[in-house]
Amino acid sequence: MDGIVSKLLLLLGNGKQMVQEGALTALASVADSSQEQFQKYYDAVMPYLKTILMNATDKSNRMLRAKSMECISLVGMAVGKDKFRDDAKQVMELLMALQGSQLEADDPITSYMLQAWARLCKCLGQDFLPYMSVVMPPLLQSAQLKPDVTITSADSDDDLDASDDESIETITLGDKRIGIRTSVLEEKATACNMLCCYADELKEGFYPWISLVAPTLVPLLKFYFHEEVRKAAVSAMPELLRSAKLAVEKGLTPSHDDSCVKQLSDYIIPALVEALHKEPETEICASMLDALNQCIQLSGPLLNEAQVRSIVDEIKHVITASSTRITERAERTKTEDFDAEEGEFLKEENEQEEEIFDRVGDCLGTLVKTFKTSFLPFFNEISIYITPMLGKDKTSNERRVVICIFDDVVEQCREAALKYYDTYLPFLLEASNDGDADVRQAALYGIGVCAEFGGAMFRPLVGEALSKLNNVIRHPDAQHSDNLMAYDNAVSALGKICMHHRDSIDAAQVLPAWLNCLPVKGDLDKAKIVHDQLCTMVERSDRELLGPNNHYLPKIISIFAEVLCAGNELATEQTSSRMINLLRQLQRTLPPAVFASTWSTLQPQQRLALQSALST
């Protein structure tokens, strides 16, 4: 770094203009890659950059000035607000003056300036708010640019000259040739990305601008001239809703209820659903589903039944369209001229379809969690579309997504979900020993949830479930990093069977086997649940858990020690304090010799952790 930075500063000081521009780009990259490590060079570098920004005012120096602006903003972001604060004010004033001056239409500084403002906002956070009134008007103007389009007939020669022009992109649609000036589209895309950036960074501070930004970006969900514009508009939708929701929570809106969030949600969600229906690009479909999922999470119960209906109908359409595309591709592999190159291309396309189905699963999971049993009539309709995805001919990802949706239904709808057990439980049991670790994990989680809430419906399957869990837990590679999450879910499911179906198992065998798997350390959410189960069993002096003559007590104490040693990673604060109370109780009630011999089996750091926990 020392060598690179000093060389680049030399080049900045006396290089040719082209070399100086390259040095600025290189410096910006070094700062961006080294982040806070760049702080030691800041005092040497920043004066150079400010000098160029102030003095490179000739038309011939326009790109040099634009690059210095880019470099300053990236250096500021790298070193952070505290280091950059004093210079930031001066740089902002310079940018404001530049913005107020009459820049020529083709001056490259315009798009560099849009990006520099957004980086300065990222660096300064809420301290950037006073500058928004300067930044936003030109940004909105750029985002609202109309595409510069010319339409001629496809067979005319008039437009052939234009096709040699690099700034114009031509596409032929039917008998028409359409020419689009790309520089306008690129500026529009940059501006839309920056709007998304401000909403993301400023959160509730962005609220005053939503009334101007939403009507600008929502129509661009269907801007088919440029993918980047659509992508930026899609990404901004949840950010706008999040900003409005936070503003309401923090009392920054005129009405202190959810009405402004509802109004915005009523505008955004139907537009997003409609745009998804017409979207030609698979990758953008996946982004739209992701944005829709976030919007559903943010709007939650504010959605009405008609809106949920339109979302569900669109999800059906997405699944059908995706299945059709996959089938067509499979047909293409059978043609004579199909080759390896096309095979690679098809593989990529099918991966995008998996991404789409992933996002569909997220949306359905969110709808189930939000509306619980009132979503079940819609789930009945959707299940006709998703149940076939459990077939052997489907990918492991498709099977995993459907299992996750069913897991959510069982967990959120409890008794109301019992009617689905006959259809889905056999799949869960079979998938719990699947070759794919992610499918196994989802299925094992589901078995645990069914054991917890299934009551009499689950009881006849306890024996088969134990056998499947045993296969997972005793597998030689069970605790290999790839399999650990599935293993932890199997341990959690076993614990739930011990808790809720004790009368259906040979407890003297199963409980010690479960105890032997603890503590759980891979899936931290599961760890907290399992260690809470353990506490509950010890608190009720569970005979089968403690064993004859408290045979398993040393093991239980060593599990407590290991969990407490890990701080708040493996147990909630509440579970940890229950463990400490149990240990104090044991210390008082057990014969001193028994407690001492258990104590001697612990590792030194565990003893220390327990001593400090028991003494505070």
Side-chain angles (χ1 to χ4, degrees):
M1 288 261 302
D2 288 356
I4 291 172
V5 174
S6 56
K7 278 269 172 35
L8 290 173
L9 286 179
L10 272 176
L11 293 175
L12 266 190
N14 51 17
K16 289 196 162 59
Q17 186 173 325
M18 193 170 83
V19 176
Q20 287 179 311
E21 286 171 16
L24 284 168
T25 303
L27 256 181
S29 294
V30 170
D32 193 33
S33 306
S34 57
Q35 291 298 308
E36 66 281 352
Q37 312 264 344
F38 198 79
Q39 286 187 356
K40 66 180 272 200
Y41 309 104
Y42 180 86
D43 295 332
V45 169
M46 193 49 82
Y48 271 94
L49 302 180
K50 287 197 306 192
T51 305
I52 296 172
L53 185 60
M54 286 190 252
N55 300 333
T57 50
D58 289 355
K59 186 166 181 175
S60 60
N61 290 339
R62 291 189 314 185
M63 186 49 97
L64 188 65
R65 182 159 65 166
K67 296 263 187 193
S68 70
M69 190 185 295
E70 173 180 62
C71 192
I72 287 171
S73 59
L74 280 162
V75 167
M77 260 177 80
V79 300
K81 178 156 84 171
D82 296 335
K83 186 80 178 155
F84 183 52
R85 188 181 272 113
D86 295 341
D87 289 311
K89 201 166 174 355
Q90 195 185 350
V91 170
M92 306 274 238
E93 315 250 304
L94 259 167
L95 291 194
M96 286 199 294
L98 258 176
Q99 195 145 296
S101 65
Q102 286 299 307
L103 294 170
E104 292 173 28
D106 62 344
D107 192 332
I109 206 155
T110 313
S111 74
Y112 277 86
M113 191 144 42
L114 293 180
Q115 294 179 55
W117 279 123
R119 289 193 199 105
L120 293 167
C121 171
K122 260 197 168 1
C123 172
L124 300 173
Q126 298 296 319
D127 293 353
F128 188 81
L129 282 172
Y131 299 98
M132 285 293 280
S133 52
V134 178
V135 171
M136 285 298 283
L139 191 56
L140 282 163
Q141 206 177 332
S142 295
Q144 289 160 0
L145 284 171
K146 294 276 180 280
D148 182 354
V149 177
T150 53
I151 300 177
T152 54
S153 87
D155 48 11
S156 83
D157 299 333
D158 309 347
D159 214 34
L160 287 179
D161 303 338
S163 63
D164 298 334
D165 182 346
E166 284 180 8
S167 68
I168 291 180
E169 197 174 303
T170 55
I171 41 178
T172 306
L173 283 178
D175 59 351
K176 296 278 184 282
R177 183 184 288 133
I178 301 172
I180 310 163
R181 191 166 292 283
T182 51
S183 58
V184 173
L185 296 182
E186 277 153 18
E187 184 181 334
K188 188 178 180 76
T190 301
C192 294
N193 270 312
M194 299 305 116
L195 287 171
C196 184
C197 209
Y198 288 127
D200 173 38
E201 193 58 46
L202 297 171
K203 304 283 188 282
E204 67 278 5
F206 194 75
Y207 175 75
W209 299 97
I210 290 179
S211 59
L212 291 170
V213 173
T216 300
L217 292 183
V218 167
L220 298 179
L221 294 169
K222 295 192 287 191
F223 187 80
Y224 300 113
F225 292 113
H226 201 281
E227 283 178 26
E228 291 305 318
V229 171
R230 292 206 302 291
K231 282 183 191 169
V234 170
S235 304
M237 294 301 113
E239 299 305 343
L240 296 180
L241 263 178
R242 194 171 285 114
S243 166
K245 193 169 181 181
L246 286 169
V248 170
E249 286 168 9
K250 300 198 174 175
L252 303 173
T253 56
S255 64
H256 294 297
D257 57 13
D258 277 335
S259 57
C260 73
V261 181
K262 169 130 185 71
Q263 198 180 350
L264 188 60
S265 161
D266 288 350
Y267 179 41
I268 285 176
I269 288 182
L272 203 46
V273 170
E274 190 189 332
L276 176 59
H277 193 75
K278 296 178 176 172
E279 178 52 52
E281 294 296 328
T282 319
E283 187 190 341
I284 298 181
C285 278
S287 304
M288 284 178 165
L289 285 162
D290 183 40
L292 183 59
N293 180 43
Q294 290 183 60
C295 289
I296 300 167
Q297 286 171 350
L298 290 159
S299 306
L302 298 176
L303 291 173
N304 61 37
E305 192 174 337
Q307 288 168 329
V308 175
R309 155 64 54 215
S310 73
I311 292 169
V312 168
D313 285 347
E314 186 48 38
I315 286 175
K316 292 179 194 168
H317 171 258
V318 168
I319 295 172
T320 309
S322 177
S323 297
T324 306
R325 289 192 298 266
I326 291 170
T327 309
E328 283 168 1
R329 280 183 210 122
E331 289 303 314
R332 262 168 46 204
T333 61
K334 297 172 188 165
T335 57
E336 278 181 29
D337 54 353
F338 183 76
D339 57 16
E341 193 179 335
E342 197 180 352
E344 272 303 305
F345 187 61
L346 287 196
K347 187 170 162 238
E348 276 174 35
E349 286 184 334
N350 280 336
E351 279 169 7
Q352 287 185 341
E353 302 295 353
E354 294 209 343
E355 174 82 6
I356 281 195
F357 198 57
D358 257 343
R359 300 287 84 86
V360 160
D362 293 341
C363 287
L364 290 172
T366 299
L367 287 164
V368 171
K369 287 170 192 152
T370 306
F371 297 104
K372 302 195 176 351
T373 51
S374 56
F375 185 71
L376 289 181
F378 294 108
F379 176 71
N380 295 339
E381 294 176 28
I382 283 279
S383 62
I384 301 162
Y385 290 78
I386 60 173
T387 311
M389 302 291 186
L390 289 167
K392 283 274 191 286
D393 57 329
K394 299 298 178 187
T395 66
S396 52
N397 189 60
E398 286 166 327
R399 293 202 304 281
R400 177 190 62 77
V401 170
V402 179
I403 291 169
C404 287
I405 296 167
F406 173 67
D407 293 352
D408 284 334
V409 169
V410 172
E411 193 165 15
Q412 300 296 327
C413 304
R414 308 201 174 179
E415 294 80 31
L418 292 173
K419 59 187 175 193
Y420 304 113
Y421 278 45
D422 285 346
T423 306
Y424 285 97
L425 244 177
F427 281 113
L428 289 191
L429 290 164
E430 189 185 349
S432 64
N433 291 167
D434 194 274
D436 182 277
D438 292 334
V439 173
R440 280 203 305 282
Q441 182 187 341
L444 292 160
Y445 179 80
I447 290 172
V449 177
C450 290
E452 187 173 353
F453 301 119
M457 283 291 283
F458 187 78
R459 194 166 297 124
L461 295 164
V462 167
E464 191 185 344
L466 283 178
S467 150
K468 298 287 189 185
L469 295 176
N470 192 41
N471 291 345
V472 175
I473 289 168
R474 290 185 178 277
H475 193 281
D477 295 328
Q479 300 203 49
H480 183 276
S481 60
D482 292 344
N483 302 324
L484 191 56
M485 299 298 260
Y487 172 82
D488 288 350
N489 277 270
V491 174
S492 170
L494 187 57
K496 286 178 178 177
I497 290 174
C498 293
M499 290 274 281
H500 301 281
H501 298 275
R502 184 69 66 92
D503 50 352
S504 305
I505 62 173
D506 176 359
Q509 257 204 312
V510 176
L511 272 155
W514 176 68
L515 202 54
N516 226 13
C517 300
L518 306 190
V520 164
K521 297 179 191 168
D523 184 332
L524 298 183
D525 292 335
K526 285 291 150 301
K528 292 180 175 70
I529 293 167
V530 170
H531 302 142
D532 183 76
Q533 286 171 342
L534 177 63
C535 267
T536 304
M537 291 186 203
V538 178
E539 280 166 348
R540 60 186 190 204
S541 303
D542 193 310
R543 272 202 336 274
E544 285 130 339
L545 180 80
L546 297 170
N549 302 323
N550 290 337
H551 180 70
Y552 299 117
L553 205 51
K555 171 67 180 164
I556 292 167
I557 292 174
S558 78
I559 294 167
F560 281 5
E562 210 169 328
V563 170
L564 290 169
C565 229
N568 57 2
E569 272 210 338
L570 303 181
T572 62
E573 210 172 310
Q574 195 184 4
T575 305
S576 296
S577 62
R578 284 166 66 200
M579 284 183 175
I580 292 165
N581 286 336
L582 283 166
L583 286 166
R584 285 187 181 136
Q585 216 173 312
L586 292 168
Q587 203 174 13
R588 283 196 303 273
T589 54
L590 284 178
V594 175
F595 200 78
S597 73
T598 303
W599 196 258
S600 65
T601 61
L602 300 178
Q603 291 172 352
Q605 74 266 35
Q606 290 175 340
R607 267 181 249 163
L608 278 173
L610 283 196
Q611 264 164 346
S612 85
L614 291 172
S615 60
T616 47

